[in-house]
Amino acid sequence: MSLVISRLHVRHDSTTALVDGLPPRLRRLFSEADVANDHLIALGIWLGTAPFVAGLAALVFGWGAAAGSVLCMAGLPLGLITRWSGRRNARLVASLPDLIDGVARALRSGASLHQALHEVATDQSTVAAVELRIVLAAVESGSDLTHALANWAERRPIAEVRVVSAALGLVVENEAGTGRALSGVSDTLRDRKSLADEIRALTSQAATSMQALVFLPIGFLAIDLAGDGGVVSYLGTEPIGRLCLAGGVVLNLVGWRWMRGTINRQMPT
């Protein structure tokens, strides 16, 4: 267990070769959640222990407990991936001001825009620099820089990325005197991040309450499985119990989506 926990706390610069080898849909899901190789290894270890845990639960508590343990062990990684969704975008937004500052410094030192972009993309190891290297790779393949920046904004439909893309697009048209303008853009991005952090802090209690309301029913079922399992047996075998279980799951998901949407609408757009 300690190995699994230690694998979950990896550095942000971990390689993602295993993630890149996944099917496209899973690769996108794991990429948005900022899942790296060590996370996948930890996931493999965690799922590898599932048969042992299920067998032990079946031996001690019965087959109902075994089924519940398998569902819990499969549901925990899914819950983590859902919770981590958007972490890469958050890191991208946080690193954009430094990227813009680097471009502005290079322009003030006399470099052209292309030289400034290459310098920043090479010197920095942030998510924004990685995204910038993708833009520059498209330019090297023959795409126009303005078009490559527009494609970046479409690929990452985030307000901050649109602002940076538009600002750099204006620099393409006129590089003269743009250093101060780019510094103003980076200040604006930092102000937006500060505002988002403040709103996130103010809504943290609501987010915690939302998570508690969603996961408490699962916890109660787990406690019942550790006991006589009467409630789980009723929900799984009796027609009315199955109806209650299905209705509870649907209402739980609807409530979670509604509460999460209410909280997300408070964030700046």
Side-chain angles (χ1 to χ4, degrees), residues 16-33 81 156:
T16 57
L18 294 178
V19 178
D20 293 339
L22 294 173
R25 192 167 290 182
L26 278 179
R27 184 169 65 246
R28 180 176 180 180
L29 176 65
F30 284 5
S31 176
E32 293 300 323
I81 293 297
R156 293 289 184 186

Side-chain angles (χ1 to χ4, degrees), residues 171-201:
V171 178
V172 174
E173 301 297 331
N174 182 17
E175 296 185 9
T178 54
R180 182 175 298 179
L182 289 179
S183 296
V185 171
S186 67
D187 292 339
T188 300
L189 294 177
R190 287 191 174 92
D191 290 341
R192 284 180 58 88
K193 185 178 184 302
S194 298
L195 176 61
D197 291 341
E198 183 177 356
I199 294 175
R200 193 173 293 110

